[in-house]
Amino acid sequence: MKSCLQLIIAAAVIVGSPGIAMAQAFPTRPIAMVVPVPAGGPTDAIARVLASYMPQPLGQPVVIENIPGAGGSVGTGQVARAAPDGYRIGIGLLGTHVMNGAIYKLQYDLLKDFEPVAMISSSPQLIVSRAGIAARDLKELIAWVKANEAKATMSTAGIGTAGHISSVYFQNVTASKPLIVHYRGGAPALQDLLAGNVDMMIALASNFLPQVQSGKLRAYAVTSKTRMAAAPDIPTVDEAGLPNFHMPVWHAIWAPRATPKPVVDRLNAAIVEALANPGVRERLAAQGQEIPPREQQTPAALGAVQRSDIEKWWPLIKAAGITAEQ
């Protein structure tokens, strides 16, 4: 009789806890994952790899919605304004969830209007130059830039991109002033670098590896604390003589503010399971992505990385006067 009474009380507690009840039922319909950039790029590819596996632990499809515009702020804003029920989440990256806050006049708060769900992966950037520059290592490249300041150039994929911020950071820490040349996307920037029309570039390693391996470009360092598994011969910036020049481009998942913790935890568990799958890991590695250790896949760890990067990059962006109106 006593055990029956205890079961009734326990059931009443569960029924009376909306968060617990929601988590037990969630999800009962498809989940939309907003990708705030056009289809076909690295962010879209990462989202599709993740969305292809998440239905297994969740029991519901995960549907990709590409909503590009304004450096990713259009789609990210739609996630901020979505119902906080876990059925509309968004993939974001260093640009959308850190840099845009200093570059654009956003209609949402990057820290207050989202619930961090999980870090997915990160990719270091590479410091590369055209093959014709006679610099054998990073120290010699920096010396070359300083000796040729009147004509040295760096290409970027556009104003406000990670490559742009990295280029300004490079100017600051090396006390040099190469001319920064902006292009409408990474492809034309890379094409001009290969053609020898610009001297160097800092961008995602995955964009450069084929050209580096074929000898068409020269790589000097990766902008991370550890060497890349895909290119172990390229030193880190610390090893190459530019200590702490760290700027990996990470990707992660967020939900709207006030999404119940049990729902966030359910989504996080599905992502963690996906990232442990050998097939998912292989597909992300093929894209030059590195999956963080399990302890860095928590909502709290993602929130800490985002806050740390905002503290690091916003002052540099604002001091350089980088805005979307340039």
Side-chain angles (χ1 to χ4, degrees):
M1 186 72 177
K2 185 177 179 180
S3 61
C4 289
L5 181 60
Q6 289 173 331
L7 288 172
I8 292 171
I9 293 173
V13 170
I14 292 173
V15 171
S17 303
I20 296 175
M22 179 181 289
Q24 287 183 331
F26 178 84
T28 58
R29 52 188 170 88
I31 295 169
M33 182 186 293
V34 173
V35 180
V37 295
T43 301
D44 179 70
I46 293 167
R48 291 178 189 278
V49 170
L50 197 64
S52 70
Y53 185 87
M54 285 177 67
Q56 297 183 41
L58 290 174
Q60 291 290 337
V62 176
V63 182
I64 297 293
E65 290 185 9
N66 292 93
I67 307 177
S73 61
V74 174
T76 302
Q78 290 202 17
V79 175
R81 295 184 292 272
D85 54 13
Y87 288 101
R88 201 167 203 209
I89 59 178
I91 188 170
L93 62 153
L94 179 68
T96 59
H97 282 71
V98 172
M99 294 175 180
N100 278 3
I103 296 171
Y104 291 87
K105 295 178 180 179
L106 302 177
Q107 302 302 308
Y108 50 86
D109 189 294
L110 286 172
L111 292 175
K112 296 179 181 179
D113 290 337
F114 300 91
E115 300 291 344
V117 177
M119 181 72 77
I120 304 170
S121 64
S122 68
S123 176
Q125 298 188 92
L126 274 183
I127 301 174
V128 302
S129 79
R130 55 183 175 84
I133 290 182
R136 295 167 297 178
D137 56 34
L138 185 57
K139 290 182 178 179
E140 289 189 5
L141 177 66
I142 294 170
W144 181 89
V145 170
K146 289 184 174 182
N148 293 273
E149 277 193 339
K151 60 179 183 179
T153 53
M154 300 180 73
S155 62
T156 83
I159 293 172
T161 60
H164 180 195
I165 310 307
S166 297
S167 297
V168 173
Y169 191 33
F170 180 87
Q171 289 179 329
N172 290 353
V173 299
T174 62
S176 64
K177 290 295 180 183
L179 176 66
I180 298 175
V181 183
H182 299 297
Y183 290 79
R184 292 183 178 275
L190 177 58
Q191 287 170 2
D192 256 16
L193 182 64
L194 288 166
N197 296 327
V198 287
D199 298 314
M200 58 181 292
M201 187 175 179
I202 304 174
L204 283 177
S206 56
N207 294 347
F208 294 136
L209 283 181
Q211 291 80 11
V212 169
Q213 291 164 347
S214 67
K216 294 178 180 178
L217 295 176
R218 180 172 290 139
Y220 297 92
V222 295
T223 64
S224 62
K225 298 177 182 179
T226 58
R227 295 194 180 201
M228 288 182 64
D233 293 337
I234 302 175
T236 67
V237 283
D238 302 280
E239 295 169 331
L242 201 60
N244 299 315
F245 192 85
H246 303 144
M247 198 178 194
V249 177
W250 43 257
H251 285 82
I253 298 294
W254 279 267
R257 177 185 59 184
T259 300
K261 184 178 184 301
V263 172
V264 171
D265 290 345
R266 181 89 168 87
L267 290 166
N268 176 267
I271 294 168
V272 168
E273 183 173 325
L275 295 178
N277 180 271
V280 171
R281 298 180 74 89
E282 182 179 346
R283 290 171 67 186
L284 289 177
Q287 298 175 30
Q289 298 296 316
E290 299 178 348
I291 296 173
R294 172 66 184 87
E295 64 271 15
Q296 294 177 20
Q297 298 172 16
T298 66
L302 171 56
V305 168
Q306 184 186 20
R307 287 190 297 273
S308 175
D309 276 355
I310 284 174
E311 292 172 2
K312 179 177 181 177
W313 297 116
W314 279 17
L316 182 146
I317 293 169
K318 292 177 180 179
I322 299 170
T323 69
E325 284 74 35
Q326 284 181 301

Coordinates of all heavy atoms in Angstrom, one line a residue, residues 96-163:
T96 N 28.9 34.6 -36.8 CA 27.6 34.9 -36.5 C 27.3 35.2 -35.0 O 26.5 36.0 -34.6 CB 26.6 33.8 -36.9 OG1 26.9 32.6 -36.3 CG2 26.7 33.6 -38.4
H97 N 28.0 34.4 -34.1 CA 27.7 34.5 -32.7 C 28.8 35.2 -31.9 O 28.7 35.3 -30.6 CB 27.5 33.1 -32.2 CG 26.1 32.6 -32.5 ND1 25.7 32.3 -33.8 CD2 25.0 32.4 -31.7 CE1 24.5 31.9 -33.8 NE2 24.0 32.0 -32.6
V98 N 29.8 35.8 -32.5 CA 30.8 36.7 -31.9 C 30.9 37.9 -32.6 O 30.6 39.0 -32.2 CB 32.1 35.9 -31.7 CG1 33.2 36.9 -31.1 CG2 31.9 34.8 -30.7
M99 N 31.5 37.8 -33.8 CA 32.0 39.0 -34.6 C 30.8 39.9 -35.0 O 30.9 41.1 -35.0 CB 32.8 38.6 -35.8 CG 34.1 38.0 -35.3 SD 35.0 37.4 -36.8 CE 36.5 36.7 -35.9
N100 N 29.7 39.3 -35.4 CA 28.6 40.1 -35.9 C 28.1 41.1 -34.8 O 27.5 42.2 -35.1 CB 27.4 39.2 -36.3 CG 27.6 38.7 -37.7 OD1 28.6 39.0 -38.3 ND2 26.6 38.0 -38.2
G101 N 28.3 40.8 -33.5 CA 27.8 41.7 -32.5 C 28.6 43.0 -32.5 O 28.1 44.0 -31.9
A102 N 29.8 43.0 -33.0 CA 30.6 44.2 -33.0 C 30.5 44.9 -34.4 O 30.9 46.1 -34.5 CB 32.0 43.9 -32.7
I103 N 30.0 44.2 -35.4 CA 30.0 44.7 -36.8 C 28.7 45.2 -37.2 O 28.6 46.2 -37.9 CB 30.5 43.6 -37.8 CG1 32.0 43.2 -37.4 CG2 30.4 44.0 -39.2 CD1 32.5 41.9 -38.2
Y104 N 27.6 44.5 -36.8 CA 26.3 44.9 -37.2 C 25.5 45.5 -36.0 O 25.8 45.2 -34.9 CB 25.5 43.6 -37.7 CG 26.0 43.1 -39.0 CD1 27.0 42.2 -39.0 CD2 25.4 43.5 -40.2 CE1 27.5 41.6 -40.3 CE2 25.8 43.0 -41.4 CZ 26.9 42.0 -41.4 OH 27.3 41.5 -42.6
K105 N 24.5 46.2 -36.3 CA 23.5 46.7 -35.3 C 22.4 45.6 -35.3 O 21.4 45.7 -36.0 CB 22.9 48.1 -35.7 CG 24.0 49.2 -35.7 CD 23.4 50.5 -36.2 CE 24.4 51.6 -36.2 NZ 23.9 52.9 -36.6
L106 N 22.6 44.7 -34.4 CA 21.7 43.5 -34.3 C 20.4 43.8 -33.6 O 20.4 44.7 -32.7 CB 22.4 42.3 -33.7 CG 23.7 41.9 -34.3 CD1 24.3 40.7 -33.5 CD2 23.5 41.4 -35.8
Q107 N 19.4 43.1 -34.0 CA 18.1 43.3 -33.3 C 17.9 42.2 -32.2 O 16.8 42.0 -31.8 CB 16.9 43.2 -34.3 CG 17.0 44.2 -35.4 CD 17.0 45.7 -34.9 OE1 16.2 46.0 -34.1 NE2 18.0 46.4 -35.3
Y108 N 19.0 41.6 -31.8 CA 19.0 40.6 -30.7 C 20.3 40.6 -30.0 O 21.3 41.2 -30.5 CB 18.7 39.2 -31.3 CG 19.6 38.9 -32.5 CD1 20.9 38.3 -32.3 CD2 19.3 39.1 -33.8 CE1 21.8 38.0 -33.3 CE2 20.1 38.8 -34.9 CZ 21.3 38.3 -34.6 OH 22.2 38.0 -35.7
D109 N 20.3 40.1 -28.8 CA 21.5 40.0 -28.0 C 22.2 38.6 -28.1 O 21.5 37.6 -27.8 CB 21.2 40.4 -26.5 CG 22.4 40.6 -25.7 OD1 23.2 39.6 -25.5 OD2 22.6 41.7 -25.2
L110 N 23.4 38.6 -28.5 CA 24.1 37.3 -28.7 C 24.2 36.5 -27.5 O 24.2 35.2 -27.5 CB 25.5 37.5 -29.3 CG 25.5 38.0 -30.8 CD1 26.9 38.4 -31.2 CD2 24.9 36.9 -31.7
L111 N 24.3 37.1 -26.3 CA 24.4 36.3 -25.1 C 23.1 36.1 -24.3 O 22.9 35.1 -23.7 CB 25.4 37.1 -24.1 CG 26.8 37.1 -24.6 CD1 27.7 37.9 -23.6 CD2 27.4 35.7 -24.7
K112 N 22.2 37.1 -24.5 CA 20.9 37.0 -23.7 C 19.8 36.3 -24.5 O 18.8 35.8 -23.8 CB 20.5 38.4 -23.3 CG 21.4 39.1 -22.3 CD 20.9 40.5 -22.0 CE 21.9 41.2 -21.0 NZ 21.4 42.6 -20.7
D113 N 19.8 36.2 -25.8 CA 18.7 35.8 -26.5 C 18.8 34.3 -27.1 O 18.0 33.9 -27.9 CB 18.4 36.7 -27.7 CG 17.8 38.0 -27.2 OD1 17.3 38.1 -26.1 OD2 18.0 39.0 -28.0
F114 N 19.8 33.6 -26.6 CA 20.0 32.2 -27.1 C 20.4 31.3 -25.9 O 21.0 31.8 -24.9 CB 21.2 32.2 -28.1 CG 20.9 33.0 -29.3 CD1 21.3 34.3 -29.4 CD2 20.2 32.4 -30.4 CE1 21.1 35.0 -30.6 CE2 20.0 33.2 -31.5 CZ 20.4 34.5 -31.6
E115 N 20.1 30.1 -26.0 CA 20.6 29.0 -25.1 C 21.6 28.2 -25.8 O 21.3 27.6 -26.9 CB 19.4 28.1 -24.7 CG 18.3 28.8 -24.0 CD 18.6 29.3 -22.6 OE1 19.7 28.9 -22.1 OE2 17.9 30.1 -22.1
P116 N 22.9 28.2 -25.3 CA 23.9 27.4 -26.0 C 23.5 25.9 -25.8 O 23.0 25.5 -24.8 CB 25.1 27.6 -25.1 CG 24.9 28.9 -24.4 CD 23.4 29.0 -24.2
V117 N 23.7 25.1 -26.9 CA 23.3 23.7 -26.9 C 24.6 22.8 -27.0 O 24.8 22.0 -26.1 CB 22.4 23.3 -28.1 CG1 22.1 21.8 -28.1 CG2 21.1 24.1 -28.0
A118 N 25.4 23.0 -28.0 CA 26.7 22.2 -28.1 C 27.6 22.7 -29.1 O 27.2 23.2 -30.1 CB 26.3 20.8 -28.4
M119 N 28.9 22.6 -28.7 CA 30.0 22.9 -29.7 C 30.1 21.7 -30.6 O 30.1 20.6 -30.2 CB 31.3 23.2 -29.0 CG 32.5 23.5 -29.9 SD 32.4 25.1 -30.7 CE 32.9 26.1 -29.3
I120 N 30.2 21.9 -31.9 CA 30.2 20.8 -32.9 C 31.7 20.6 -33.3 O 32.2 19.5 -33.2 CB 29.4 21.2 -34.2 CG1 28.0 21.5 -33.8 CG2 29.5 20.0 -35.1 CD1 27.2 22.0 -35.0
S121 N 32.3 21.6 -33.8 CA 33.7 21.4 -34.4 C 34.4 22.7 -34.5 O 33.8 23.8 -34.4 CB 33.6 20.7 -35.7 OG 32.9 21.6 -36.7
S122 N 35.6 22.7 -34.8 CA 36.4 23.9 -35.1 C 37.4 23.6 -36.2 O 37.8 22.4 -36.4 CB 37.1 24.5 -33.9 OG 38.1 23.6 -33.5
S123 N 37.8 24.6 -36.9 CA 38.8 24.4 -38.0 C 39.8 25.6 -37.9 O 39.4 26.7 -37.8 CB 38.1 24.5 -39.4 OG 39.1 24.4 -40.4
P124 N 41.0 25.3 -37.8 CA 42.0 26.3 -37.7 C 42.1 27.1 -39.1 O 41.7 26.5 -40.1 CB 43.3 25.6 -37.4 CG 43.1 24.2 -38.0 CD 41.7 23.9 -37.8
Q125 N 42.6 28.3 -39.0 CA 42.9 29.0 -40.2 C 44.4 28.7 -40.6 O 45.2 28.3 -39.7 CB 42.7 30.5 -40.1 CG 41.2 30.8 -39.8 CD 40.9 32.2 -39.8 OE1 40.6 32.8 -40.8 NE2 41.1 32.9 -38.7
L126 N 44.8 29.0 -41.8 CA 46.1 28.9 -42.2 C 46.6 30.2 -42.7 O 45.9 31.0 -43.3 CB 46.3 27.9 -43.4 CG 46.5 26.4 -43.2 CD1 46.6 25.7 -44.5 CD2 47.6 26.1 -42.3
I127 N 47.9 30.5 -42.4 CA 48.6 31.7 -42.9 C 49.3 31.2 -44.1 O 50.2 30.4 -44.0 CB 49.5 32.3 -41.9 CG1 48.8 32.7 -40.6 CG2 50.2 33.5 -42.5 CD1 49.7 33.2 -39.5
V128 N 48.9 31.7 -45.3 CA 49.6 31.2 -46.5 C 50.0 32.4 -47.4 O 49.5 33.6 -47.2 CB 48.6 30.3 -47.3 CG1 48.1 29.1 -46.5 CG2 47.4 31.1 -47.8
S129 N 50.9 32.1 -48.3 CA 51.3 33.2 -49.3 C 51.3 32.6 -50.7 O 51.3 31.3 -50.9 CB 52.7 33.7 -48.9 OG 53.7 32.8 -49.3
R130 N 51.4 33.4 -51.7 CA 51.7 32.9 -53.0 C 53.0 32.3 -53.1 O 53.9 32.6 -52.3 CB 51.6 34.1 -54.0 CG 52.6 35.2 -53.7 CD 52.4 36.4 -54.7 NE 53.2 37.5 -54.4 CZ 54.5 37.7 -54.7 NH1 55.1 36.7 -55.4 NH2 55.2 38.8 -54.3
A131 N 53.2 31.3 -53.9 CA 54.4 30.5 -54.0 C 55.6 31.3 -54.3 O 56.8 30.9 -53.9 CB 54.2 29.4 -55.0
G132 N 55.5 32.5 -54.9 CA 56.7 33.2 -55.4 C 57.4 34.0 -54.3 O 58.5 34.5 -54.5
I133 N 56.8 34.1 -53.1 CA 57.4 34.9 -52.0 C 58.6 34.1 -51.4 O 58.4 32.9 -51.1 CB 56.4 35.2 -50.9 CG1 55.5 36.3 -51.5 CG2 57.1 35.8 -49.7 CD1 54.4 36.8 -50.5
A134 N 59.8 34.7 -51.3 CA 61.0 34.0 -50.9 C 61.0 34.0 -49.3 O 62.0 34.6 -48.8 CB 62.2 34.6 -51.5
A135 N 60.1 33.4 -48.7 CA 60.1 33.3 -47.2 C 59.9 31.8 -46.8 O 58.9 31.2 -47.2 CB 59.0 34.2 -46.6
R136 N 60.9 31.3 -46.2 CA 60.8 29.8 -45.9 C 60.0 29.5 -44.6 O 59.5 28.4 -44.5 CB 62.2 29.3 -45.7 CG 63.1 29.3 -47.0 CD 64.5 29.1 -46.7 NE 65.1 30.1 -45.8 CZ 66.3 30.2 -45.3 NH1 67.2 29.2 -45.6 NH2 66.7 31.1 -44.5
D137 N 59.8 30.5 -43.7 CA 59.0 30.2 -42.5 C 58.3 31.5 -42.2 O 58.4 32.6 -42.8 CB 59.9 29.7 -41.4 CG 61.1 30.7 -41.1 OD1 60.9 31.9 -41.2 OD2 62.2 30.2 -40.7
L138 N 57.5 31.5 -41.1 CA 56.7 32.6 -40.7 C 57.5 33.8 -40.3 O 57.1 34.9 -40.6 CB 55.7 32.2 -39.6 CG 54.7 33.2 -39.1 CD1 53.8 33.7 -40.3 CD2 53.8 32.7 -38.0
K139 N 58.6 33.6 -39.6 CA 59.4 34.8 -39.2 C 60.0 35.5 -40.5 O 60.0 36.7 -40.5 CB 60.6 34.3 -38.4 CG 60.1 33.9 -37.0 CD 61.3 33.5 -36.1 CE 60.9 33.1 -34.7 NZ 62.0 32.6 -33.9
E140 N 60.3 34.7 -41.5 CA 60.8 35.3 -42.7 C 59.7 36.0 -43.5 O 59.9 37.1 -44.1 CB 61.5 34.3 -43.6 CG 62.8 33.8 -43.1 CD 63.6 32.9 -44.0 OE1 63.1 32.8 -45.2 OE2 64.7 32.4 -43.7
L141 N 58.5 35.4 -43.4 CA 57.3 36.1 -44.0 C 57.0 37.4 -43.4 O 56.8 38.4 -44.1 CB 56.1 35.2 -44.0 CG 54.8 35.8 -44.5 CD1 54.9 36.0 -46.0 CD2 53.6 34.9 -44.2
I142 N 57.1 37.5 -42.1 CA 56.8 38.7 -41.4 C 57.9 39.8 -41.7 O 57.6 40.9 -42.0 CB 56.8 38.5 -39.9 CG1 55.5 37.6 -39.5 CG2 56.7 39.8 -39.1 CD1 55.5 37.2 -38.1
A143 N 59.1 39.3 -41.8 CA 60.2 40.2 -42.2 C 60.0 40.7 -43.6 O 60.3 41.9 -43.9 CB 61.6 39.5 -42.1
W144 N 59.5 39.8 -44.5 CA 59.3 40.2 -45.9 C 58.2 41.3 -46.0 O 58.3 42.3 -46.7 CB 58.9 39.0 -46.7 CG 58.7 39.3 -48.2 CD1 59.6 39.4 -49.2 CD2 57.4 39.7 -48.8 NE1 59.0 39.7 -50.4 CE2 57.7 40.0 -50.2 CE3 56.1 39.9 -48.3 CZ2 56.7 40.4 -51.0 CZ3 55.1 40.3 -49.2 CH2 55.4 40.5 -50.5
V145 N 57.1 41.1 -45.2 CA 56.0 42.0 -45.2 C 56.5 43.4 -44.7 O 56.1 44.4 -45.3 CB 54.9 41.5 -44.3 CG1 53.8 42.6 -44.1 CG2 54.2 40.3 -44.9
K146 N 57.3 43.4 -43.7 CA 57.8 44.7 -43.1 C 58.7 45.4 -44.1 O 58.7 46.6 -44.2 CB 58.5 44.4 -41.8 CG 57.6 44.1 -40.6 CD 58.3 43.9 -39.3 CE 57.4 43.7 -38.2 NZ 58.2 43.6 -36.9
A147 N 59.5 44.6 -44.9 CA 60.4 45.2 -45.8 C 59.6 45.7 -47.1 O 60.2 46.4 -47.9 CB 61.5 44.2 -46.2
N148 N 58.4 45.2 -47.3 CA 57.7 45.5 -48.5 C 56.3 46.1 -48.2 O 55.3 45.9 -48.9 CB 57.5 44.2 -49.3 CG 58.8 43.7 -49.9 OD1 59.2 44.1 -51.0 ND2 59.4 42.8 -49.2
E149 N 56.2 46.9 -47.1 CA 54.9 47.4 -46.6 C 54.2 48.3 -47.7 O 53.0 48.3 -47.7 CB 55.2 48.2 -45.3 CG 55.2 47.4 -44.1 CD 55.1 48.2 -42.8 OE1 55.4 49.4 -42.9 OE2 54.7 47.7 -41.8
A150 N 55.0 48.9 -48.5 CA 54.4 49.8 -49.5 C 53.6 49.1 -50.5 O 52.7 49.6 -51.2 CB 55.5 50.7 -50.2
K151 N 53.9 47.8 -50.7 CA 53.2 47.0 -51.7 C 52.6 45.7 -51.3 O 51.9 45.0 -52.0 CB 54.2 46.8 -52.9 CG 55.4 46.0 -52.5 CD 56.3 45.7 -53.8 CE 57.5 44.9 -53.4 NZ 58.4 44.6 -54.6
A152 N 52.9 45.2 -50.1 CA 52.4 43.9 -49.6 C 50.9 43.9 -49.4 O 50.4 44.9 -48.9 CB 53.1 43.6 -48.3
T153 N 50.3 42.9 -49.8 CA 48.8 42.8 -49.8 C 48.3 41.5 -49.2 O 49.0 40.5 -49.3 CB 48.2 42.9 -51.2 OG1 48.8 41.9 -52.0 CG2 48.4 44.3 -51.8
M154 N 47.1 41.6 -48.5 CA 46.5 40.4 -48.0 C 45.0 40.4 -48.5 O 44.4 41.4 -48.5 CB 46.4 40.5 -46.4 CG 47.8 40.5 -45.7 SD 47.7 40.6 -43.9 CE 47.1 39.0 -43.5
S155 N 44.6 39.2 -48.9 CA 43.2 39.1 -49.4 C 42.3 38.6 -48.3 O 42.7 37.8 -47.5 CB 43.1 38.3 -50.7 OG 43.6 37.0 -50.4
T156 N 41.0 38.9 -48.4 CA 40.0 38.4 -47.5 C 38.8 38.0 -48.3 O 38.6 38.5 -49.4 CB 39.6 39.3 -46.3 OG1 38.6 40.3 -46.8 CG2 40.8 40.1 -45.8
A157 N 37.9 37.2 -47.7 CA 36.6 36.8 -48.3 C 35.6 37.9 -48.1 O 34.4 37.7 -48.6 CB 36.2 35.5 -47.7
G158 N 35.9 39.0 -47.5 CA 34.9 40.1 -47.3 C 35.1 40.8 -46.0 O 35.7 40.3 -45.0
I159 N 34.5 42.0 -45.9 CA 34.5 42.8 -44.7 C 33.8 42.0 -43.5 O 32.7 41.5 -43.7 CB 33.9 44.1 -44.9 CG1 34.7 45.0 -45.9 CG2 33.7 44.9 -43.6 CD1 34.1 46.3 -46.3
G160 N 34.5 42.0 -42.4 CA 33.9 41.3 -41.2 C 34.0 39.9 -41.1 O 33.6 39.3 -40.1
T161 N 34.7 39.2 -42.1 CA 34.9 37.8 -42.0 C 36.0 37.5 -41.1 O 36.8 38.3 -40.7 CB 35.2 37.2 -43.4 OG1 36.4 37.9 -43.9 CG2 34.1 37.5 -44.4
A162 N 36.1 36.2 -40.7 CA 37.2 35.8 -39.8 C 38.5 36.1 -40.4 O 39.5 36.5 -39.7 CB 37.1 34.3 -39.5
G163 N 38.7 35.9 -41.7 CA 39.9 36.3 -42.4 C 40.2 37.8 -42.3 O 41.4 38.1 -42.2

